[in-house]
Amino acid sequence: MLPSLEGARVLDLGCGFGAFARWAREMGAVTVLGVDRSENMLARARGQTRDPAVRYVLADIEQLALPEAAFDLVYSSLTLHYIADVAAACATIRRLLVAGGRLVFSVEHPIFTAPRTPGWRTEADGARVWPVNDYLLEARRVTEWITPGVVKYHRTVASYVNSLIAEGFHLVRLEEWGPSQEQIAQHPEWADEVHRPPFLLVAARL
Ligand SMILES: C[S@@+](CC[C@H](N)C(=O)[O-])C[C@H]1O[C@@H](n2cnc3c(N)ncnc32)[C@H](O)[C@@H]1O
C-alpha cells in the first residue's frame, strides 16, 4: 500500500520502536522523522540506529509543531485509534504533506474497538461468535491490553474515511486485513482473526 520511498521525506506518527523509519531508509527515503509521545519507546528506537537521516522526537500527534508541506509521505501504524480527534489529525497531516503527498495508516479495526461481550460464546452447533455491540456509538474506551486502563477511541470506518475526504484526500486503497488460509496454516493461532478483521489499513493521497 506504500508508494515508492525513493527520495521521499517521511514522517512516522506514533513510531514506537522506530522499525518503520529504519526500513524506510533502506527503501530509499532521504529523511525519516519518527514522533512518539513515549520517551521509553523513543529511547529504544534511538538505540537501534546511528543514521543521521533518521530522527526520533518526542511529540504529541495532537499538538504537532512541524513545518508545513515538508513531507512526501505520512505513515502511521496502529496509533490513530489512540487519538481523540481524528478529523483534527487529518487536517494536521494535510498541512504537513506536499501537494500529491501520501498518507498510509493502519488502526485497530472499528469492529475490533467496538464494545464486545467479553469472551467467546459457543453456540449449540459449536460455531463461535464474537458479538459486536454499539458499533455506531463513537466514544473513548478504556480497555485492558498488557496493562489495565488503556484508552482507545472507537469510531466507525465512515468517520475515518470522511475525515480524509473532508481534507481533500483521495482514497487509494482500503484493506480489512485478515489472515489468508496459507498464513493460518503457518500461524494456527491466527484462525480466530477471520471472524472479524483486526486491522483497517488505508492509503490516501492529496
Ligand atoms: C501500538 S504502538 C505502534 C508503534 C509502531 N507504530 C508500530 O507499529 O510498531 C502505538 C504508539 O503510538 C504512540 N502514541 C499514542 N498516542 C500518541 C500521541 N497522541 N502522540 C504521539 N504518539 C502516540 C504510543 O506511544 C506508541 O508508541
Side-chain angles (χ1 to χ4, degrees):
M1 296 176 73
L2 289 164
S4 164
L5 299 186
E6 202 61 53
R9 295 158 297 170
V10 177
L11 173 64
D12 181 0
L13 297 178
C15 63
F17 293 157
F20 176 78
R22 299 187 294 277
W23 180 84
R25 278 285 288 158
E26 287 172 23
M27 295 298 112
V30 284
T31 57
V32 189
L33 177 63
V35 306
D36 204 286
R37 70 175 172 189
S38 163
E39 191 53 70
N40 286 341
M41 300 298 260
L42 293 170
R44 286 277 292 270
R46 290 181 190 122
Q48 293 181 56
T49 184
R50 291 186 177 176
D51 183 347
V54 174
R55 287 195 304 131
Y56 298 112
V57 301
L58 187 68
D60 189 325
I61 294 165
E62 301 195 80
Q63 295 164 26
L64 280 181
L66 293 171
E68 299 202 354
F71 300 95
D72 304 294
L73 169 70
V74 173
Y75 170 88
S76 183
S77 163
L78 297 175
T79 297
L80 296 181
H81 51 267
Y82 296 113
I83 301 300
D85 187 345
V86 80
C90 287
T92 301
I93 292 166
R94 194 247 312 143
R95 286 194 295 275
L96 298 176
L97 281 170
V98 295
R102 300 283 188 128
L103 166 63
V104 178
F105 71 91
S106 61
V107 286
E108 286 190 2
H109 197 290
I111 283 182
F112 200 82
T113 56
R116 282 162 283 163
T117 305
W120 293 98
R121 216 170 56 205
T122 306
E123 292 185 331
D125 65 0
R128 288 177 297 181
V129 293
W130 186 285
V132 173
N133 304 314
D134 295 338
Y135 173 83
L136 292 173
L137 301 183
E138 302 194 316
R140 182 178 184 271
R141 308 256 183 246
V142 182
T143 63
E144 181 164 347
W145 184 61
I146 301 177
T147 184
V150 176
V151 175
K152 298 177 186 177
Y153 292 89
H154 167 71
R155 56 182 67 91
T156 63
V157 174
S159 283
Y160 281 112
V161 171
N162 288 330
S163 296
L164 294 171
I165 291 170
E167 294 301 327
F169 282 97
H170 301 269
L171 276 187
V172 175
R173 193 163 184 84
L174 187 147
E175 292 280 351
E176 296 177 292
W177 185 86
S180 65
Q181 290 306 311
E182 293 74 30
Q183 288 170 319
I184 291 172
Q186 288 171 0
H187 302 274
E189 72 279 13
W190 291 0
D192 286 341
E193 307 296 351
V194 299
H195 295 288
R196 74 280 179 273
F199 305 125
L200 175 69
L201 291 78
V202 179
R205 68 172 167 75
L206 281 177

